Amino acid sequence: VLKESKRAVNSILVDDDDEDEEDVERVSWSGEPVGSISWSVKETASSIRSGSEQSFPKIDTTPSLSKQGSGYSLSSLFKGNLHDLSPEETVRRMQKGRAFSLEKFRSLQDKLLLLDEAVAVYDGNVITAVLIFLKKSLSKEILFRELMARDVALRHYVHYLKEMGEQKLLVELLKALGRTEDMALMHYKEHLNIKDESRRRDFLKSCLSLPFSQDDATHVQDHYTLLERQIIIEASDKKAVAEIFKKFPRKASILNMPIITTLYYSCFYHYGESEGTFSSPSNIRKTFRISEKQYILTALGARAKLKSWFDVDSLFNTKNWLGYTKKRSPIGFHRVVDILHKNSAPVQVLQEYVNLIDNPDLKLGGALKYKCHDIVINTYRDLKDRQQLIVYREKLERDSPEYRKIQELLNNVQIRWKN
Amino acid sequence: MAAWRDAPELPDFSLLKRLARDQLIFLLEQLPGKKDLFIDADLMSPLDRIANVTILKQHEVDKLYKVELKPIVSSSDQLCFLIRPRIQTVKWISDLVNADKVAGRFRRYKIIFTPQKFYACETVLEEQGVYGDVTTDEWNFYILPLDDDILSLELPEFFRDNFLEGDQRWVTTAGSALHLLQSVYGSFSKVYGIGRCAKMVYESWRELMEEGEQRTRQPEFAKVFLVDRDVDFVTPLCSQVVYEGLVDDLFRIKCGSVEFGPDVTSSDKSIKVMLNSQDKVFSEIRNEHFSNVFGFLSQKAKNLQTAYDKRRGMDIQQMKAFVSDELKGLKQEHRLLSLHIGASESMMKKKTKQDFQELLKTEHSLLEGFEIRECITYIEEHINRQVSMIDSLRLLCLLSITENGLLSKDYRSLKAQYLQSYGIKHLLTFANLRQLGLLEEQQAGETLTVMESKVGKLVNDKTVGKLTDAFSSLAKKSNFRALSKRLALVPKSGEEYDLRVPRDMAYVFSGAYIPLSCKLIEQVLERDGWTGLEEVTRMLNGQEFAVTEARNKTDAQRIVLVMFLGGCTFSEISALRFLGKERGCRFIVVTTAITNSARLLEALLDNHA
């Protein structure tokens, strides 16, 4: 229906395309309406690139602006009055952006009254302003101690330090509060700022001794090990000459990729290497405790991409005690079929795996979708569904082997059809 | 309950745009002479909605630049910065000023903070030694009307700042926004709300009210409902399936406008389209479940063909009349129709895939509390396959909220697999999600709740109530399952749901779930307060309130303002529009920003230090 209506709309004849300009917003090449602000900003940007606007800076001859404006500078005029204001009045003035003075709040008690008043009026802007004042006028030990009992103010302070990038003080604060796990994470986060991979690796190594929760400690250890290995693999693969690297040149470096991406990479470029090498799939699997399911899924993706159907087969082959091979999979075979199909596996390969799907509905669905005729025909035969067989026959080429097979079945008088 | 009547007229919000524009012009005039203007990236679209380059040029703005926190190339003697009050941006400006000083270059600098300035920003100017060299101003552009019934503060950072960081810097902003609405459109008679932030916003607004002069004019809307985003995290985490929501999920609507790429326009260029009630095609499909949209569009296409066909056999006079009266409208409709058909087609391609169907099935099972083991297996495979990092996270959060946290062994295993698939740095993401209560490991004490519900069947209700009280103090829990039962959010499965004739708000999620936020609003309006909802509010951790301001019964009683603190989804807006139609009233949504699952979760990532 949708296709039809699309065709209908597209086929409607319009007299003159130029007229469209009248009722349609004028749009520039980037799709921004001409004259819009976003459009204009782009124009400026492109003119900079072309360098056409470069000229000598003018010398400013006008006197600099008088220092007008805000409450701070005005405060000198009213010093007398402002100093007499109560915490309530001061906070009120701060809320309104009027002149105020914090200088008279010198005793710890006064400072805390001021802070509590700011918290009481819910104004985050004023809370932070008071905290900035306290940061400058109290030692950090005292400030930390007082913040411990004031959760709202504390959270404002932590956020302010984060925004100011005062990492060191923040770590000290969290330590003083006994929030060691938060402190460890905060420190770990710093690695995102380090671009150079060796420095990043060394930094991660220094994180290992931080007081993470037990689980997170394992993850951070993994992070360090991963990057360490990636650096080794990258150094050797950058100049690798093996056939596979020529046939499928690497599109990006493996540095800083997730564990699973690294496993995929290793299944792609280093399949079959012995467990002793860092780049081998088995080594990565073991080092990072990758589940069987996850391993099979990743290896399947990589080997199917390379169309190594033999490798795909051996992933699922298991031998029983009599020595017979049998296919077994920790992921549903319908998923396996999906992945094989996405990598354009030939019908013979697909057919084998469609046959392994447990669920009869999924199996028939897969067989229909991927045109595994034999499976479709056998399934209908087993269901004794004559009507479906007739319908399916019509979809096949006349005199093809499948067509003839259906024909034979339909002529078989021994089958007791249900319809 | 009010009998169905014609929906009341909505107030004219374009006035808000005019006010904002006039103030901006006034501020620009404070810096006479030619100047270059630097605009924060996320202010460009909002600014585009209220002014254009011509207006800026008229007030001697020479060149426009986007703030990129990089060295600038400007030869102007006067630099004006139009920015959000962020420390990082102010640091960048201070660096520019100091660099100019070193180079012996004199310029004038002005920062216009919007919607307001913060002391922390001014302190940066002071500390960097440029206070006084730079003058500052405030542009109180609190509200951008995105549509007839959607007003946005355009502050996506509200969500993270308030709920994750616990920074209340935007509380007074939200209060001021309400105060602005009140002073332009008249006072409100009733205010309801739920949530910690909602309470603070109300207080902040009340203070402003007490100071300001009382307006006596007829109010244009009389009821206000304030709701915190963390009251209902389930709704924004669900996949959206009404047209407007789906467009937002797939193409990201930005400030009421969307950019359709070449796959939609079937040409080599992208087209930006405004999506609002002015678009006649869009306004008819925006609230529809996407399975209905295609039928509607093809009918529309047929009608259009018929209208065009009228030309055949016309004489010259008739043709002239046709061209002048109808053709323009038809062409406009034609253009919009092709775009929406293109968009629907691209949606169908993505959304009818097996993957999406399975995803929806899993979401619905989670909402229903059905076959949880299968859901976990599905999520695990989703993670293992390394498909969409955000979708995996979304499903994990839905699982956690609906199940009151994950069993310890599930939590550990899923987290480990997630980190393997998407990067170990997501440790930080998990810490944030845990802090917010979006993704948690069940604590030893909490397993008692399972027992408690079993015991509940044996012992009388009072005892259970006491037990529950004791446990609810242990941790902030979502209680989704119990809430869902109490408020009938999830219709009984197995019942047919005709999406073309929706019977309740559940249609916005294919009949599987009524948005909790909207259900609360419905219940409170129906009861004119929280009476009878005590159990519900207890499960939502309290913080509810209802205040009567004045008593004036006018038609305005049928216009309800709903303010979402921390963001609102298009699905919720559609649900409220449906509710309004049912009850003969209109809802106006005020939100800190439009959100969806991706925006909500992206705000909680720590990708950069």
Side-chain angles (χ1 to χ4, degrees):
Chain A
V1 185
L2 193 62
K3 275 228 173 82
E4 233 171 76
S5 44
K6 189 171 184 182
R7 218 176 299 130
V9 171
N10 289 338
S11 67
I12 296 172
L13 286 172
V14 177
D15 304 61
D16 190 352
D17 270 342
D18 296 353
E19 281 182 42
D20 275 327
E21 296 294 326
E22 294 166 15
D23 47 64
V24 178
E25 240 185 329
R26 279 172 57 86
V27 168
S28 74
W29 54 270
S30 64
E32 300 283 353
V34 172
S36 77
I37 286 154
S38 336
W39 173 79
S40 179
V41 169
K42 280 187 192 142
E43 290 293 291
T44 338
S46 51
S47 76
I48 292 171
R49 257 176 264 124
S50 65
S52 61
E53 281 294 332
Q54 297 283 21
S55 61
F56 289 103
K58 264 201 265 174
I59 307 290
D60 192 0
T61 49
T62 49
S64 81
L65 272 188
S66 61
K67 314 266 183 283
Q68 44 85 267
S70 133
Y72 290 130
S73 44
L74 276 176
S75 63
S76 53
L77 295 174
F78 300 106
K79 230 167 194 166
N81 311 341
L82 292 172
H83 274 242
D84 298 334
L85 294 177
S86 67
E88 289 82 10
E89 286 164 309
T90 304
V91 164
R92 184 127 317 195
R93 293 188 74 89
M94 292 173 82
Q95 278 190 287
K96 298 214 176 63
R98 299 217 187 105
F100 64 90
S101 163
L102 301 180
E103 279 159 39
K104 83 148 218 185
F105 298 94
R106 300 194 70 168
S107 73
L108 180 61
Q109 195 194 2
D110 282 350
K111 287 180 201 287
L112 294 176
L113 277 175
L114 188 68
L115 182 60
D116 292 341
E117 179 58 26
V119 170
V121 296
Y122 312 122
D123 191 328
N125 178 30
V126 177
I127 296 173
T128 306
V130 173
L131 285 166
I132 293 171
F133 166 67
L134 298 191
K135 179 172 182 262
K136 286 174 182 159
S137 62
L138 283 174
S139 83
K140 57 188 178 208
E141 288 76 18
I142 303 298
L143 179 56
F144 293 175
R145 186 191 72 199
E146 294 303 331
L147 286 177
M148 227 177 271
R150 290 173 171 78
D151 189 52
V152 172
L154 174 64
R155 295 184 75 181
H156 281 79
Y157 193 57
V158 169
H159 192 215
Y160 173 71
L161 294 183
K162 271 193 205 170
E163 288 192 302
M164 289 297 286
E166 296 201 39
Q167 193 71 16
K168 255 179 110 182
L169 189 55
L170 195 50
V171 168
E172 269 180 76
L173 170 63
L174 293 173
K175 209 180 211 169
L177 294 169
R179 283 166 56 177
T180 49
E181 278 183 37
D182 289 338
M183 183 208 77
L185 284 170
M186 183 73 62
H187 190 82
Y188 164 78
K189 189 180 170 183
E190 277 286 287
H191 83 268
L192 294 167
N193 279 337
I194 305 171
K195 292 284 166 281
D196 177 78
E197 62 266 14
S198 320
R199 281 192 50 227
R200 189 183 257 217
R201 176 199 55 203
D202 297 344
F203 180 85
L204 286 171
K205 191 174 184 185
S206 77
C207 287
L208 297 179
S209 57
L210 293 171
F212 288 105
S213 70
Q214 204 185 343
D215 272 4
D216 284 358
T218 319
H219 296 311
V220 174
Q221 171 73 56
D222 280 353
H223 199 168
Y224 164 67
T225 314
L226 179 67
L227 186 56
E228 191 188 31
R229 304 268 164 109
Q230 284 174 339
I231 290 172
I232 297 170
I233 297 172
E234 181 67 22
S236 112
D237 285 4
K238 242 191 330 210
K239 41 183 203 257
V241 285
E243 194 55 35
I244 178 104
F245 289 97
K246 280 184 216 149
K247 222 166 140 193
F248 302 95
R250 304 184 324 145
K251 290 196 184 90
S253 111
I254 193 62
L255 295 172
N256 298 314
M257 292 295 168
I259 292 174
I260 299 309
T261 312
T262 311
L263 176 64
Y264 182 91
Y265 174 94
S266 130
C267 288
F268 198 93
Y269 289 109
H270 299 278
Y271 207 63
E273 281 177 16
S274 72
E275 205 186 303
T277 59
F278 281 153
S279 50
S280 70
S282 41
N283 189 308
I284 292 175
R285 178 182 179 178
K286 206 170 156 195
T287 307
F288 299 106
R289 307 165 308 281
I290 291 165
S291 71
E292 189 198 7
K293 192 172 163 180
Q294 174 75 77
Y295 176 75
I296 297 274
L297 202 59
T298 313
L300 172 63
R303 299 325 287 171
K305 183 97 193 163
L306 287 166
K307 312 215 181 306
S308 306
W309 311 122
F310 177 79
D311 290 340
V312 168
D313 273 346
S314 21
L315 273 175
F316 299 105
N317 283 342
T318 51
K319 279 204 171 69
N320 67 8
W321 59 279
L322 286 171
Y324 295 119
T325 53
K326 200 185 169 229
K327 284 205 163 43
R328 220 171 42 86
S329 167
I331 42 173
F333 275 110
H334 65 285
R335 279 258 180 266
V336 175
V337 171
D338 273 349
I339 293 168
L340 290 173
H341 176 70
K342 274 185 192 131
N343 290 291
S344 30
V347 181
Q348 302 91 290
V349 176
L350 281 178
Q351 183 149 318
E352 188 182 352
Y353 287 91
V354 170
N355 238 334
L356 291 164
I357 299 175
D358 274 339
N359 180 322
D361 294 335
L362 285 176
K363 183 173 177 174
L364 182 59
L368 285 166
K369 199 165 155 193
Y370 305 124
K371 303 206 167 46
C372 305
H373 303 307
D374 274 350
I375 300 174
V376 176
I377 295 167
N378 293 342
T379 309
Y380 287 145
R381 182 199 60 202
D382 295 345
L383 291 169
K384 310 222 180 304
D385 197 331
R386 189 183 153 85
Q387 292 308 320
Q388 288 291 356
L389 268 182
I390 295 175
V391 172
Y392 199 69
R393 184 184 58 181
E394 297 317 308
K395 290 180 190 157
L396 300 171
E397 225 170 289
R398 214 162 251 279
D399 286 330
S400 60
E402 300 84 30
Y403 188 93
R404 283 203 301 269
K405 185 173 175 186
I406 296 185
Q407 208 56 37
E408 274 166 34
L409 282 171
L410 292 174
N411 291 336
N412 187 336
V413 287
Q414 307 220 306
I415 302 174
R416 300 185 60 182
W417 300 106
K418 72 169 181 187
N419 52 21
Chain B
M1 200 185 310
W4 202 92
R5 281 176 288 173
D6 283 338
E9 286 284 309
L10 292 177
D12 175 17
F13 291 121
S14 61
L15 188 57
L16 295 172
K17 293 192 191 180
R18 225 162 52 228
L19 286 172
R21 184 168 56 226
D22 290 350
Q23 202 203 350
L24 178 64
I25 290 170
F26 173 78
L27 291 171
L28 288 174
E29 283 172 351
Q30 302 298 300
L31 189 63
K34 281 207 161 194
K35 57 213 157 241
D36 281 358
L37 185 62
F38 291 78
I39 308 170
D40 243 344
D42 40 3
L43 278 175
M44 292 195 350
S45 294
L47 188 55
D48 249 334
R49 301 289 171 268
I50 61 152
N52 55 37
V53 176
T54 321
I55 291 180
L56 297 181
K57 298 261 165 179
Q58 275 165 3
H59 297 87
E60 299 182 274
V61 169
D62 192 11
K63 291 198 199 68
L64 288 165
Y65 299 91
K66 185 161 83 175
V67 168
E68 287 177 304
L69 308 184
K70 285 190 288 203
I72 61 160
V73 194
S74 164
S75 52
S76 181
D77 294 333
Q78 300 199 92
L79 304 183
C80 187
F81 302 88
L82 188 57
I83 59 168
R84 290 276 183 230
R86 296 190 188 118
I87 284 176
Q88 215 194 5
T89 322
V90 178
K91 276 191 173 167
W92 168 73
I93 295 170
S94 308
D95 289 348
L96 292 181
V97 177
N98 280 323
D100 279 353
K101 279 187 183 178
V102 170
R105 175 166 199 171
F106 298 99
R107 306 200 231 215
R108 288 183 187 180
Y109 313 90
K110 183 188 198 71
I111 301 178
I112 301 175
F113 291 106
T114 187
Q116 66 195 85
K117 53 179 152 186
F118 289 142
Y119 287 110
C121 293
E122 292 186 297
T123 308
V124 171
L125 293 176
E126 194 179 337
E127 285 174 356
Q128 299 301 314
V130 296
Y131 192 91
D133 299 315
V134 181
T135 56
T136 59
D137 246 319
E138 278 183 345
W139 178 32
N140 304 124
F141 180 25
Y142 289 118
I143 298 173
L144 174 70
L146 290 179
D147 206 343
D148 299 345
D149 58 352
I150 311 175
L151 308 176
S152 171
L153 274 62
E154 291 295 309
L155 287 173
E157 61 258 61
F158 188 106
F159 174 66
R160 185 179 168 123
D161 285 345
N162 191 77
F163 294 102
L164 183 68
E165 310 287 359
D167 190 320
Q168 301 164 5
R169 59 174 60 166
W170 302 115
V171 166
T172 50
T173 318
S176 303
L178 285 171
H179 186 62
L180 171 67
L181 286 174
Q182 183 185 24
S183 41
V184 178
Y185 300 101
S187 65
F188 311 92
S189 62
K190 279 228 148 176
V191 184
Y192 316 98
I194 182 159
R196 202 172 149 263
C197 184
K199 252 185 175 168
M200 295 192 284
V201 168
Y202 170 73
E203 278 303 314
S204 152
W205 170 34
R206 194 183 50 78
E207 296 245 323
L208 289 169
M209 262 189 294
E210 280 172 7
E211 288 155 18
E213 80 257 54
Q214 291 297 312
R215 305 273 302 216
T216 47
R217 57 173 293 183
Q218 276 291 315
E220 294 206 55
F221 25 71
K223 289 185 181 173
V224 184
F225 194 104
L226 304 174
V227 58
D228 279 16
R229 185 68 277 173
D230 69 353
V231 166
D232 173 14
F233 274 140
V234 171
T235 304
L237 287 173
C238 293
S239 291
Q240 304 198 71
V241 286
V242 286
Y243 187 72
E244 192 166 12
L246 195 48
V247 171
D248 192 33
D249 277 1
L250 285 181
F251 305 101
R252 299 230 177 186
I253 299 175
K254 195 174 140 200
C255 218
S257 141
V258 74
E259 184 165 353
F260 285 132
D263 58 324
V264 169
T265 60
S266 35
S267 65
D268 52 358
K269 60 173 186 177
S270 298
I271 296 181
K272 272 198 179 173
V273 205
M274 293 296 296
L275 294 179
N276 54 38
S277 54
Q278 303 296 308
D279 176 339
K280 291 294 171 246
V281 177
F282 177 68
S283 65
E284 284 187 80
I285 54 176
R286 68 197 305 187
N287 300 311
E288 291 288 322
H289 189 273
F290 83 108
S291 61
N292 297 334
V293 168
F294 315 110
F296 175 86
L297 288 177
S298 65
Q299 184 56 47
K300 200 94 185 155
K302 279 181 204 141
N303 296 349
L304 190 63
Q305 181 72 68
T306 320
Y308 273 120
D309 285 349
K310 278 204 305 192
R311 287 177 303 177
R312 291 193 193 131
M314 280 184 182
D315 61 30
I316 292 193
Q317 278 309 313
Q318 287 169 320
M319 186 65 98
K320 243 183 167 171
F322 175 80
V323 169
S324 65
D325 301 339
E326 287 178 54
L327 193 58
K328 194 173 166 179
L330 288 178
K331 277 186 169 178
Q332 173 79 359
E333 197 178 327
H334 183 172
R335 174 181 157 267
L336 293 170
L337 203 50
S338 331
L339 274 177
H340 289 298
I341 287 177
S344 313
E345 205 178 31
S346 144
M347 266 177 202
M348 283 302 259
K349 258 186 226 150
K350 289 177 190 137
K351 294 297 176 183
T352 49
K353 269 195 192 156
Q354 195 192 351
D355 289 0
F356 185 62
Q357 294 305 322
E358 284 179 47
L359 191 79
L360 282 184
K361 201 183 132 218
T362 304
E363 280 179 32
H364 291 174
S365 299
L366 289 174
L367 291 166
E368 225 181 308
F370 183 64
E371 296 185 332
I372 296 302
R373 264 302 127 195
E374 281 80 351
C375 291
I376 293 177
T377 309
Y378 176 83
I379 298 172
E380 194 171 67
E381 263 184 43
H382 201 270
I383 294 170
N384 290 163
R385 285 158 59 211
Q386 285 188 301
V387 278
S388 164
M389 180 263 280
I390 288 287
D391 271 343
S392 290
L393 208 52
R394 187 164 70 82
L395 290 170
L396 284 175
C397 293
L398 264 182
L399 172 68
S400 172
I401 304 175
T402 52
E403 290 288 297
N404 261 345
L406 276 64
L407 295 175
S408 224
K409 94 177 156 43
D410 290 333
Y411 179 84
R412 285 175 194 190
S413 143
L414 288 167
K415 177 176 171 183
Q417 295 184 65
Y418 192 95
L419 300 182
Q420 289 186 341
S421 273
Y422 303 109
I424 296 168
K425 61 175 187 206
H426 283 291
L427 270 181
L428 301 162
T429 310
F430 276 76
N432 288 344
L433 292 171
R434 168 177 269 191
Q435 159 132 23
L436 211 55
L438 271 173
L439 181 51
E440 289 178 302
E441 184 178 350
Q442 280 175 9
Q443 298 305 311
E446 286 181 67
T447 45
L448 283 168
T449 51
V450 182
M451 201 177 76
E452 157 205 341
S453 64
K454 279 185 190 142
V455 171
K457 294 194 182 84
L458 306 168
V459 193
N460 65 52
D461 280 347
K462 257 187 189 161
T463 337
V464 178
K466 272 184 199 155
L467 269 175
T468 319
D469 276 341
F471 294 135
S472 63
S473 59
L474 282 177
K476 188 185 164 190
K477 286 180 297 171
S478 67
N479 297 310
F480 179 77
R481 208 65 75 205
L483 278 167
S484 160
K485 214 167 159 191
R486 189 78 184 70
L487 292 167
L489 300 180
V490 177
K492 286 191 187 70
S493 61
E495 275 178 48
E496 273 300 304
Y497 198 101
D498 186 352
L499 291 167
R500 274 166 305 180
V501 196
R503 56 167 181 261
D504 54 26
M505 294 186 279
Y507 94 93
V508 302
F509 292 116
S510 309
Y513 162 66
I514 298 175
L516 169 58
S517 52
C518 302
K519 186 71 179 184
L520 279 177
I521 295 165
E522 178 209 82
Q523 288 295 306
V524 169
L525 291 177
E526 205 166 279
R527 292 157 197 266
D528 194 16
W530 295 95
T531 325
L533 294 171
E534 291 81 2
E535 198 192 337
V536 170
T537 55
R538 191 170 50 78
M539 288 191 279
L540 289 170
N541 299 302
Q543 308 283 352
E544 79 281 5
F545 61 93
V547 196
T548 307
E549 286 295 327
R551 256 165 258 281
N552 40 8
K553 286 248 183 239
T554 62
D555 197 44
Q557 296 289 13
R558 296 197 291 132
I559 298 185
V560 183
L561 200 90
V562 180
M563 185 182 230
F564 284 88
L565 297 159
C568 155
T569 63
F570 281 117
S571 295
E572 285 164 313
I573 297 176
S574 289
L576 289 176
R577 286 183 184 136
F578 174 86
L579 184 64
K581 255 188 225 154
E582 289 273 291
R583 303 290 154 94
C585 62
R586 292 293 294 267
F587 287 94
I588 295 164
V589 169
V590 190
T591 180
T592 51
I594 296 288
T595 193
N596 61 19
S597 54
R599 289 191 196 101
L600 189 110
L601 293 171
E602 279 161 9
L604 303 173
L605 304 179
D606 273 316
N607 281 333
H608 42 83

